[in-house]
Amino acid sequence: MKYVSLGRSGLMVSRVCLGGNSWGAAGRRAWAAFGPEESAPFFRRALDLGINFFDTADAYNLGLSETIMGEKLLPLVPRDELVISTKVGLKMGAAPNAIGLGRKHLVAALDAQLKRLGTDHVDVYQVHRLDAVTPLEEVMATLDGFVRAGKVRYIGGSAMPAYKFAQMIAIADARGYARPVAMQNLYNAIQREEEREMNALCAEQGVGLIPYSPLARGFLAGNRQPEGGGTTERAAKDDRAKPENWRACDWAVLDAIRAIARTRGAKPTQVALLWLWSKPEMAAPIIGATKLDQLDDVAQATDMPPLTAEEVSRIETPYQWRPHPGWNA
């Protein structure tokens, strides 16, 4: 496993991050619904492979993901060996202040998250989604207070307009607040719209990318069929990845990835990750593993030779610059 600084911070993270949206997802999806006992082997395997970076959110299964990670991951190794990332801002209840980024909700949410995780601090605390009400000055002041109190080490954002993230950075710089070091955005070889503004902003400002869906809901693993379905349970049952949501250019990108994988003796998943790592602002794609050998594959990819400029061009040339259909909503 290789490690890299998260943005221009001193925080060292593994080149892959294990995402926690599956922990506690029973009843929500057929292909990945892990309870505490089913999750434990994934945490152990990830640690054995050198993965030290784990991501979750309060809204992932209404806190169950954080609870499971607290019960099954944190006792395995000393706390300082882990980089725990979580997010805040999505709806957590029916009360008016159980959502958003107002100070009242942020303070209550962080206290509840620390309790569920069984720790006294979060390493990376991210704005999951912006709300339409709270001034960014209030958000940044509250997050900075968490850092000063020792409850949060670093802050970041996720899935927002680039100009809003630029405003967050500008407020931090103007007020002397803690500065965002991470951006968790949607980015992969068939969804590259973030290259227009957000990725360039992050490169300029020293913010590390930790994208979600780096394999495009499994599409870039190469197990889907153009007519629908595929070789995995997710390919058959994921209603947010229907055949009509894939474009002709997506299949052309996948064909290029498959061809490079064959030449290298690698898997399409590994080549798709190598493409992400070819980007200088890339820190750690967030992997949602549903089988233990998937962790082995991504760990092996970190030791593979980087893509050549010609290989990168072959993957990128078919891409069409327009928003992708609804699977990414």
Side-chain angles (χ1 to χ4, degrees), residues 251-261 271 311 314-316 318:
W251 291 104
V253 169
L254 180 58
D255 286 343
I257 287 174
R258 283 170 164 161
I260 293 168
V271 174
E311 288 172 325
R314 286 169 61 189
I315 292 170
E316 294 185 352

Side-chain angles (χ1 to χ4, degrees), residues 6-8 127 130 135-141 143-144 155-158 160-185 197-209 281:
L6 185 53
R8 282 203 293 261
V127 170
L130 295 174
L136 287 178
E137 290 81 2
E138 179 179 341
V139 177
M140 297 304 294
L143 294 177
D144 180 70
I155 64 171
S158 176
M160 64 180 68
Y163 81 93
K164 287 289 188 180
F165 196 50
Q167 288 174 359
M168 291 174 64
I169 294 171
I171 291 168
D173 288 348
R175 305 287 177 86
Y177 294 159
R179 211 170 189 270
V181 302
M183 167 49 60
Q184 186 173 151
N185 55 350
E197 294 183 346
M198 180 61 82
N199 289 8
L201 171 66
C202 291
E204 177 187 85
Q205 295 297 323
V207 175
L209 296 184
E281 63 273 22

Side-chain angles (χ1 to χ4, degrees), residues 295-319:
L295 292 175
D296 298 333
D297 290 343
V298 299
Q300 290 168 6
T302 67
D303 289 325
M304 291 179 174
L307 296 182
T308 66
E310 186 271 337
E311 288 172 325
V312 170
S313 178
R314 286 169 61 189
I315 292 170
E316 294 185 352
T317 297
Y319 186 76

